[in-house]
Amino acid sequence: MKKLSGKSSKSGKLTKTAGVLGLAVAALTAVSASPAMASTSATAGCTKTYHYDNVQVQVDNCSEGWVWIFTDQGHFSKGIVHVTTSWNGPETGVLEAERGKAVADKFKPKVSSIVICGLQQYSWSPPTWWTFCGNPITV
């Protein structure tokens, strides 16, 4: 390791520590927004991916019922997925992800169907929001 100067700087150490901490927090954030078994499940063919405009949803039924939603740049400012499981039939839960964000959650026992929706601003004054949904998808 090469030393640039003979003196150590406390502010340099603080900056370096803050940078490492920032990377660690970013890594934890990235991990929490993806399915737990994504790499093994994708290899096994368990993960199915669905799109509705700029909203992407992945469902992994091999490790119970992981659902992951990501809203990319596009028409919708928020992506929404309504999840139904094979356990009780009616809607079990809803996941929402703002543009540029991802959210994941586990549903038990297995996901049986999803409905993907997107929220779009229709007018500016007064702000009016419309929700558009695709057809139910059996997984």
Side-chain angles (χ1 to χ4, degrees):
M1 190 158 115
K2 211 176 200 184
K3 262 188 172 178
L4 296 177
S5 69
K7 296 181 182 178
S8 67
S9 166
K10 287 187 180 181
S11 65
K13 287 182 182 179
L14 183 61
T15 304
K16 187 175 184 179
T17 304
V20 170
L21 182 60
L23 289 174
V25 170
L28 287 173
T29 304
V31 169
S32 66
S34 62
M37 307 281 284
S39 59
T40 56
S41 298
T43 311
C46 297
T47 305
K48 295 179 182 177
T49 304
Y50 306 94
H51 293 272
Y52 184 65
D53 198 85
N54 59 313
V55 180
Q56 178 184 345
V57 175
Q58 289 183 347
V59 178
D60 171 12
N61 267 334
C62 287
S63 59
E64 293 189 349
W66 276 103
V67 177
W68 174 85
I69 182 171
F70 173 70
T71 306
D72 204 356
Q73 296 298 320
H75 290 102
F76 299 126
S77 59
K78 181 190 282 187
I80 305 163
V81 62
H82 298 269
V83 180
T84 303
T85 64
S86 56
W87 181 268
N88 58 4
E91 182 179 293
T92 303
V94 177
L95 292 178
E96 297 181 4
E98 300 287 333
R99 185 178 291 146
K101 306 283 184 187
V103 176
D105 202 356
K106 188 175 184 180
F107 296 89
K108 290 184 178 184
K110 301 280 184 191
V111 175
S112 58
S113 67
I114 59 171
V115 175
I116 305 172
C117 303
L119 189 66
Q120 183 178 23
Q121 189 167 2
Y122 179 69
S123 67
W124 293 99
S125 181
T128 305
W129 296 89
W130 283 12
T131 302
F132 296 91
C133 294
N135 292 325
I137 302 168
T138 303
V139 228

